[in-house]
Amino acid sequence: MSNAPDNKPPQPPAGAPRPAAPAGQPSAGAPRPAVPGSAPARPPGAPAPSAGVPNPAGAPTPAGGVPRPAGAAPAGAAPAAAKPAGALTPAGGITKPAGAPAAAPVAAKPAAAPAPKPAAKPAAAPAAAKAVPRASGGSGEKGRRKFGQVLVDLGFVDEDQLWELLEEAKTTGKKLGETVMARGMINAEQLLQVLAEQNGLKLASLADAKPSPEALAMVPQTMAAVYKVMPLSVKDKVLTIVVSDPANASAADDLRNLLNLNEVVVQLSTQEAMNECLERAYSNTKEESIVDLIKELETSSALAGSGRQSSIDLDSAMEMADSAPVRRLINMIFLSSIRDRAADIHFEPFEEEYRIRIKADGVLQELQPPPKFLANAISSRIKVMANLDITERRMPQDGRIELNVGGNQVDMRVSVLPTMFGESIVIRILDRSAVKLELDKIGMDAKVLNPFKEIIKKPNGIILVTGPTGSGKTTTLYSALSYLNEVTDKIITTEDPVEYEIEGLVQCPINHEIGLTFASALRAILRQDPDRILVGEIRDLETAQIAVQASLTGHTVFSTLHTNDAPSTITRMRDMGLEPFLITATVEAVLAQRLVRRICTNCRTEFNPSADMLMELELTPETAKGMKFFYGKGCDKCGETGYKGRMGIHELLIMNDDIRDAISNGVSTDELRAVGKSKGMITLRDSGLNAINLGLSTIEEVVRETVVE
Ligand SMILES: [Zn+2]
């Protein structure tokens, strides 16, 4: 949702109360008297100051009623405290401490940095720059005003109307922008005008302007799509882009770094105008592909000359790393990986070749290999972006690259490992927007989902999710916690590593180097009075024992185990040395899961499987009667693979008296499975058959993931 009529400026800062809990906001939106200084600051009816500058006290005022910043700047706060509003300005300033990638090119090129790039630093935080003068006296430039204030300043509504609108927005739960539009007091164009004024952005007039070929060449289609921007023009290392959502102005920072520019100027337009313009602009230009770029690099004699020398000095490696084609190649690899929701990117030097592979949907795919002589340039460029020491080539290093694409933060964890033939680099992409942490959306069938939801609401007990690495356990657990997070309680997690940051959860990372293990973290967590706890993994008896103790003292403990299915999880806990009576007293449910690839919906085709294929599923033509089977033929939407995305299949073992008896009697895994099945346990295979029958996945996928050993 990046529509313009969204007056909610940048997303609430991390600490802000969840928007889902309007109950927490009444004080912020309280009627007039609750806002100190509102009336005296500007009596109703007084002419609205044109630019809003002369009225510093007035600025924070009506804003008190705007639902958004409630958490950050309490309405009742003293005028001075109201200033933080300025700090929340366009995301760029704060979300990314500008230092990270911004500093990189500078550090890399000490000589060049100070002179030709004076504009770089200040430009990094236009928001902050504007906010500062205001903070230090309120004169000079205007800081970022509240939407309501701008409405008044531009003369679209008067103060009395604003209070009414704020009140209405509060009761209906709608945004102020929507409310004032619904009342017909401003039209879409005027809304845009308010947003531009509020955010200090210029309005783009796309009717009589079109993107220049230079700008289009500089910002390829993938980059424009991922960042949700449109390049307009470029001159003297200053690029002008158009966004449709002021919150997306932060893209400027990234683009400046990625494209090695001095400045990126942001203008505002409507989504429709921008889309239309974009479509026309890129329709007759073919995007340079990664293959094209690699070909260009192969034939680039300048690069090849310096790169082929057997010993490469740092300067020439740096020069290559900073060269436009290398930058473009890395940008393209990163952005297309983000676009395709890839999980990680591997850069691997071998004796004869340099290989790049991208993992998406659990499958590694190799790119056209770039020439081997580029290895140093590529790894140097990535190290610069990740703020790593480029002179260090013998020790492993870890770093991160943060990008702010289309209003979402994407975290790239960079790991550099020296090998026989150069540096092997693996980048893990943690795109928070890519993960839908909603229980209803992770592909769980209602037959599993409904009981699972009931179980996780219990006030105590242990809930285990199992499966091999990469089976989506973490996503499921986080989705469960997010579900509970809406309604209750203190939740503390301890993880290795913390994969997603979730608002409202206290998350403690494990640190083996200093001896902070799951067991010791869990002990400390119990002293923090949690209601629900997530322990990343139960690996040993000690952790299992503390989890049991936590459960017995009235906590719900979520954790994972590396086992193949639900019944073997119980056996595994017993083998760890946990007494059966403690297992039966605490474990409430075990959810086993696997990920299978989804059939591409664009080329899905029904077919009749042979008896041999059915046998793999332990079915016969008779038992399979009435079932439907599908596969993907392959099309351009799925890269001819027939698959697109993945889904979970699940097995849920819910503790009941029969299963408790079986555990107490020390039965084998097989016997436990039999008891579970007789009590209605849905097995992984059942869940897979269901996915096949619904046309979601194929026989091959389900067989591979549910082979019974
Ligand atoms: Zn397809």
Side-chain angles (χ1 to χ4, degrees), residues 42 46-55 142 145 149-156 193 197-198:
R42 195 193 313 148
S50 57
V53 188
N55 188 12
K142 55 184 182 289
R145 288 168 293 156
Q149 182 64 40
V150 180
L151 272 180
V152 174
D153 291 347
L154 292 180
F156 291 130
Q193 197 187 336
E197 175 76 17
Q198 183 196 12

Side-chain angles (χ1 to χ4, degrees), residues 11 14 91-92 94-97 100 226-228 247-248 250 254 338 341 400-413 429-435 499-501:
Q11 305 179 340
I94 356 122
T95 46
K96 180 157 32 110
V226 170
Y227 276 96
K228 297 184 183 148
N248 201 17
S250 57
D254 277 359
I338 292 171
R341 305 221 179 289
R400 64 200 268 183
I401 301 169
E402 283 175 34
L403 298 177
N404 212 319
V405 296
N408 293 307
Q409 187 180 315
V410 176
D411 232 356
M412 303 175 88
R413 305 285 167 89
I429 304 175
L430 300 174
D431 178 355
R432 282 170 206 135
S433 68
V435 191
E499 284 185 41
Y500 314 113
E501 290 159 31

Side-chain angles (χ1 to χ4, degrees), residues 600 602-603 634-635 637-638 642:
C600 167
N602 192 49
C603 58
C635 67
K637 290 247 160 63
C638 57

Side-chain angles (χ1 to χ4, degrees), residues 439 453-458 463 477-489 491 505 532 556 558:
L439 262 188
K453 275 183 174 173
E454 287 311 308
I455 289 163
I456 61 177
K457 282 188 214 153
K458 292 198 174 190
I463 293 145
L477 280 172
Y478 274 113
S479 304
L481 290 180
S482 295
Y483 174 72
L484 296 167
N485 199 16
E486 298 288 340
V487 282
T488 54
D489 309 341
I491 305 178
L505 260 56
R532 301 178 197 277
T556 319
F558 293 85

